[in-house]
Amino acid sequence: MEKYKIPYNHYSYADTDAISGIEVASVLNQNPDKVFKTLVTVAKSKKYYVFMIPVAKELDLKKAAHSVNEKSIEMLHLKELLPLTGYVHGGCSPIGMKKQFDTVIDASATNFDTIIFSAGKIGYQVELSLDSLKKVINYSVSDIVSN
């Protein structure tokens, strides 16, 4: 993000036992609705998609598929994550993947001035505005979580 001269905050929870996104939000003393997880999926068409949703929510696969005009999608198998993205489970960030994939952020992100998500390494998070994120990756916003 320095490359794009984008202001951001960074957080570390590496010295804690936090594993789940909800635990990370708690350790960082943040609203879990503002802390997002990055999920990688594969469509029936074999195209890959990235979805960002609040850590306490579940991705609605039907809504997610609809948001990217696919018939169906499923979660990427864990063993495929590192070779595809360059990231390990728990440290996946929408920024800096080996290849840029179509990315959809849950509409609830628009309720906040900034959102927090993985910095690309377990134990580290970044916080920035959606406008700033738009300078680094292309994304769309849609309602993609289960009710």
Side-chain angles (χ1 to χ4, degrees):
M1 286 176 288
E2 285 89 5
K3 175 178 158 185
Y4 296 96
K5 296 182 174 36
I6 295 171
Y8 67 94
N9 292 321
H10 64 279
Y11 303 94
S12 173
Y13 62 94
D15 58 347
T16 73
D17 293 333
I19 296 173
S20 75
I22 295 170
E23 291 170 339
V24 170
S26 177
V27 165
L28 299 179
N29 201 25
Q30 295 288 335
N31 177 347
D33 291 338
K34 182 179 174 170
V35 181
F36 281 64
K37 55 187 170 185
T38 305
L39 306 172
V40 183
T41 64
V42 61
K44 193 169 189 142
S45 68
K46 303 295 183 213
K47 190 171 177 188
Y48 298 102
Y49 296 95
V50 174
F51 295 94
M52 295 177 65
I53 64 170
V55 294
K57 304 286 184 179
E58 293 294 323
L59 181 65
D60 183 313
L61 294 175
K62 286 185 178 177
K63 287 181 181 179
H66 184 269
S67 75
V68 292
N69 297 312
E70 291 281 358
K71 288 189 190 286
S72 65
I73 60 167
E74 61 182 40
M75 294 302 300
L76 187 72
H77 292 286
L78 197 54
K79 68 181 191 295
E80 297 174 58
L81 186 63
L82 179 60
L84 181 70
T85 66
Y87 290 126
V88 298
H89 178 71
C92 192
S93 177
I95 298 172
M97 287 190 181
K98 286 182 176 182
K99 180 180 177 219
Q100 182 64 56
F101 300 105
D102 289 346
T103 301
V104 180
I105 301 174
D106 185 64
S108 65
T110 62
N111 297 330
F112 301 99
D113 291 336
T114 59
I115 61 169
I116 299 169
F117 54 91
S118 176
K121 186 175 179 184
I122 295 173
Y124 299 91
Q125 301 274 300
V126 293
E127 176 180 18
L128 64 156
S129 70
L130 290 178
D131 286 343
S132 292
L133 184 57
K134 196 66 150 178
K135 295 174 184 172
V136 184
I137 63 167
N138 289 319
Y139 66 83
S140 59
V141 175
S142 187
D143 173 21
I144 52 172
V145 296
S146 300
N147 293 336

